Amino acid sequence: CPWNRCLFCPVYKKRKFSLRTIDEIKQDIQIARDMADDIKALSKRLGHKGDVNDAVISHIFNQPNYSDVYRGIAAWMYYGTGACFLQDADKLVLTTRQLVDILTFLRKTFPEIVRVTTYSRSRTVIRKSVAALRQIHTAGLDRVHIGLESGYTPLLKLMKKGVTADQQVDAGQRVVAAGMELSEYVMPGLGGQGLWKEHATATAGVLNQINPHFIRLRSLRVPKRVPLYALLKEGSFKMQTDDMLAEEIRCFVEALDGIDSTITSDHIMNLLEEVSGKLPEDKDKILAVVTAYQALSDMDRLIYRVGRRGGTFRSTKDLQRDPATYDKIKNLIREVEATEGAAGVEGFIASLVDRYV
């Protein structure tokens, strides 16, 4: 990441940013193409007519002489999504000419690709005109993922995001105007207990001005290796509890208005995976998911949280679907509580979810 200062981010810390040459990137693409062609040839030799099926994949993954990269290409061909993601954090930091050159070569070398996606930052996007972004789109970039995180400028400043709410709006509108799909990431919990409402409402306000294709929720977690942990330890930042987070998400969704974005909560760090749907028609359904959680008894909310954070539950409805698991988790909670108290239970839940950061 060319910025790499955000207090909540655990990635790329203690690593120096550098740019690779265009020739080096093209060589990587060509190596991937050569591997793909070799895999097809292998399939033919194995009698599968070039198809990358179960038998071919099994052969490749069971032979020790194939590299992880080779296996990765084989898996990409096996699943057949046709999707390509440009790594690492912000490909739009390249000049328009450089990125067009790379995308043109990529599309020519891999004509079977159906979608190319990249991460970027709002601060980077606003350095490019809509015309330049259209050039990049025409060359082959279909979707941009931006870490919006928040639309509340004081919070963005506190978290050293390096961007303002107005710049977030400007960047999002430019991507949409250029004809590309836009996915904005929102971080429930980033405002902590002090700024949660401002965070929720201001973020919704920014998204209402952008109308991105996707709004993806990625809830805040603060393991010890994250810079924000220092503020948490000294007490100047207090994390939202899961119950508080549910109310924050309700406030956020209620404030979304006049847009037709798709909301997704497709990550294990999120408390409520079913907060998902197309606006505006699914708004009531999404809010009903929050209501269902809030209507649970104190014990059932605790059981659900342990089950969700442990990867067992995907819905509050799972509490009734699997009585054996329900009882097992309930007994586990009582055991932890008997020896370590309520704080021990909360610590146990935090340890379950922080492993996914």
Side-chain angles (χ1 to χ4, degrees), residues 57-338:
I57 283 290
S58 178
H59 174 85
I60 291 172
F61 276 77
N62 286 323
Q63 295 293 324
N65 54 312
Y66 294 116
S67 69
D68 289 341
V69 175
Y70 192 93
R71 289 171 178 164
I73 296 293
W76 181 77
M77 297 171 71
Y78 174 76
Y79 287 110
T81 65
C84 175
F85 208 110
L86 307 181
Q87 297 292 328
D88 276 316
D90 188 0
K91 278 293 171 284
L92 289 176
V93 75
L94 295 168
T95 67
T96 299
R97 182 190 60 78
Q98 289 173 325
L99 196 47
V100 166
D101 189 11
I102 292 168
L103 288 164
T104 301
F105 183 79
L106 173 65
R107 290 286 191 169
K108 181 179 178 180
T109 309
F110 278 93
E112 64 265 44
I113 288 176
V114 296
R115 185 179 71 233
V116 178
T117 306
T118 186
Y119 285 122
S120 192
R121 297 179 61 244
S122 293
R123 189 72 175 268
T124 302
V125 171
I126 60 175
R127 295 192 180 110
K128 295 190 183 295
S129 66
V130 173
L133 292 169
R134 283 187 182 133
Q135 278 185 281
I136 292 168
H137 175 44
T138 300
L141 184 62
D142 302 293
R143 182 183 293 178
V144 178
H145 288 292
I146 292 179
L148 180 82
E149 325 306 359
S150 179
Y152 187 50
T153 295
L155 179 58
L156 292 167
K157 184 176 181 180
L158 174 66
M159 294 297 164
K160 297 185 179 180
K161 181 69 179 172
V163 69
T164 67
D166 287 343
Q167 288 172 327
Q168 302 268 44
V169 173
D170 186 6
Q173 290 178 341
R174 290 187 191 210
V175 172
V176 173
M180 288 183 277
E181 287 189 334
L182 174 63
S183 179
E184 297 275 12
Y185 286 79
V186 172
M187 190 168 285
L190 188 62
Q193 294 186 22
L195 297 174
W196 72 268
K197 195 161 190 176
E198 294 90 341
H199 168 47
T201 56
T203 302
V206 164
L207 292 168
N208 289 342
Q209 295 179 71
I210 298 172
N211 192 16
H213 299 82
F214 301 96
I215 298 170
R216 301 185 186 276
L217 305 186
R218 292 290 186 272
S219 299
L220 174 72
R221 299 305 307 176
V222 191
K224 291 182 180 179
R225 68 182 187 278
V226 174
L228 183 58
Y229 181 77
L231 301 185
L232 185 66
K233 190 174 182 180
E234 72 181 26
S236 60
F237 181 85
K238 293 183 178 180
M239 284 190 69
Q240 293 272 72
T241 66
D242 279 344
D243 288 357
M244 292 173 180
L245 206 59
E247 184 58 28
E248 178 184 322
I249 291 170
R250 172 193 290 282
C251 181
F252 167 70
V253 174
E254 285 180 340
L256 293 171
D257 184 53
I259 60 177
D260 55 9
S261 308
T262 295
I263 299 178
T264 63
S265 184
D266 53 348
H267 199 284
I268 190 63
M269 289 192 298
N270 295 334
L271 177 67
L272 301 170
E273 183 177 339
E274 291 178 301
V275 172
S276 181
K278 184 79 161 57
L279 297 174
E281 56 264 35
D282 291 332
K283 186 171 183 177
D284 289 343
K285 184 194 77 171
I286 293 169
L287 291 172
V289 172
V290 181
T291 300
Y293 170 79
Q294 293 178 322
L296 296 174
S297 67
D298 290 347
M299 177 53 77
D300 278 0
R301 284 202 306 277
L302 203 54
I303 292 170
Y304 171 75
R305 291 172 60 209
V306 172
R308 172 63 182 162
R309 301 316 194 182
T312 302
F313 293 158
R314 301 185 66 180
S315 166
T316 55
K317 297 172 186 175
D318 292 336
L319 292 167
Q320 288 78 42
R321 290 172 179 159
D322 191 349
T325 300
Y326 176 97
D327 290 338
K328 184 177 180 180
I329 294 175
K330 187 175 183 179
N331 290 334
L332 175 62
I333 290 170
R334 285 175 171 168
E335 288 175 10
V336 175
E337 200 168 33

